[in-house]
Amino acid sequence: LLIFLPPAVIWRFVQSRRSSRKAVLLLGLCDAGKTLLFARLLSGRYRDTQTSITDSSAVYRVSQDKSTNVTLIDLPGHESLRLQFLERFKAAARAIVFVVDSVAFQREVKDVAEFLYQVLVDSTVLKNAPALLIACNKQDVTMAKSAKLIQQQLEKELNTLRVTRSAAPTSLDGSATGGPAQLGKKGKDFDFSQLPMKVEFVECSARGSKGEEGEADLEGLEKWLVKVA
């Protein structure tokens, strides 16, 4: 039916669907710094945090214009909880901030890639194609990995996951047991440009170089939130 409608009508329909999605989801593993980042965006102040077992949400005004805002939702990163909370909120997501611990990244890269893979092959996420930001947190620490290295390593690990999942055995009824087999373009090594959503990387620090007394470095993240709001 839509193919008989004028392009302007279709565009307004798509835009109205997108505007109804006002949530920006904060995802990532435990201890990546999501909750402190959430607090810093809202208040600018440092606060002690602990591992979350439920979601937290608040309205975030992206500029002085009080009519421009999104709903930030901080989701638990524990392995036993993160997918069930993603399931609850994914349909409302205008954008996703996937927070990575840049210091522990080399040790956690496989777990990070596994969670990100599960997000990227989700049918609702693929359909809605929310903007995706990989926020490389804890850049105030000397041993932090750069956003460029993190991107390269994630692309490599996601490509490996794609290959192993596509080779997963089928069940007795003929369905694949490994979930969706294809991520990106068939026959090519995976990179983020192949996804239906726009993916960007930023380096940030929710804690700041002077710890509790210092200011957070969230400029790249804040500029990105203005763009997606």
Side-chain angles (χ1 to χ4, degrees):
L1 177 60
L2 288 179
I3 62 174
F4 298 108
L5 295 174
V9 175
I10 298 175
W11 184 86
R12 284 197 297 270
F13 173 76
V14 172
Q15 288 297 105
S16 66
R17 290 288 299 275
R18 181 178 180 275
S19 64
S20 67
R21 301 195 302 271
K22 297 288 289 182
V24 175
L25 308 184
L26 303 183
L27 308 180
L29 303 187
C30 283
D31 300 321
K34 299 185 304 300
T35 302
L36 179 55
L37 189 151
F38 175 79
R40 285 285 207 178
L41 285 170
L42 294 172
S43 70
R45 295 189 295 272
Y46 177 90
R47 82 173 194 199
D48 290 324
T49 62
Q50 57 187 9
T51 301
S52 303
I53 59 173
T54 187
D55 60 281
S56 298
S57 63
V59 173
Y60 173 74
R61 305 195 188 285
V62 300
S63 67
Q64 297 299 320
D65 178 7
K66 294 185 177 181
S67 66
T68 307
N69 58 71
V70 294
T71 301
L72 292 179
I73 307 179
D74 174 29
L75 303 186
H78 193 279
E79 186 177 4
S80 65
L81 298 172
R82 58 196 183 210
L83 289 181
Q84 73 181 60
F85 278 91
L86 175 63
E87 182 69 23
R88 184 181 304 176
F89 293 104
K90 63 186 180 182
R94 172 183 292 255
I96 293 173
V97 178
F98 192 95
V99 185
V100 175
D101 183 337
S102 303
V103 179
F105 177 74
Q106 208 65 49
R107 182 177 71 252
E108 298 179 343
V109 59
K110 292 186 182 299
D111 291 335
V112 173
E114 173 70 29
F115 184 23
L116 184 56
Y117 178 89
Q118 292 171 317
V119 174
L120 294 176
V121 298
D122 181 274
S123 58
T124 301
V125 174
L126 286 172
K127 177 183 176 182
N128 292 341
L132 174 62
L133 182 74
I134 310 296
C136 305
N137 193 26
K138 304 186 183 181
Q139 289 292 319
D140 55 292
V141 181
T142 305
M143 299 300 292
K145 304 302 180 185
S146 69
K148 183 176 181 179
L149 184 145
I150 288 172
Q151 177 176 350
Q152 292 171 343
Q153 289 293 314
L154 281 178
E155 287 177 339
K156 182 179 178 181
E157 289 294 332
L158 288 168
N159 191 64
T160 300
L161 278 170
R162 178 177 67 170
V163 172
T164 55
R165 295 299 173 88
S166 65
T170 56
S171 61
L172 292 177
D173 63 2
S175 61
T177 59
Q182 191 62 43
L183 182 71
K185 294 183 179 179
K186 188 175 181 179
K188 293 186 177 182
D189 287 342
F190 173 79
D191 66 68
F192 285 103
S193 68
Q194 299 167 3
L195 294 173
M197 69 283 288
K198 185 174 182 179
V199 183
E200 297 181 57
F201 284 72
V202 298
E203 296 181 353
C204 62
S205 174
R207 185 175 177 85
S209 59
K210 296 182 180 179
E212 297 180 20
E213 302 301 323
E215 292 186 3
D217 179 9
L218 302 179
E219 182 179 0
L221 172 56
E222 290 170 334
K223 287 182 178 179
W224 181 83
L225 287 169
V226 171
K227 287 195 300 183
V228 301

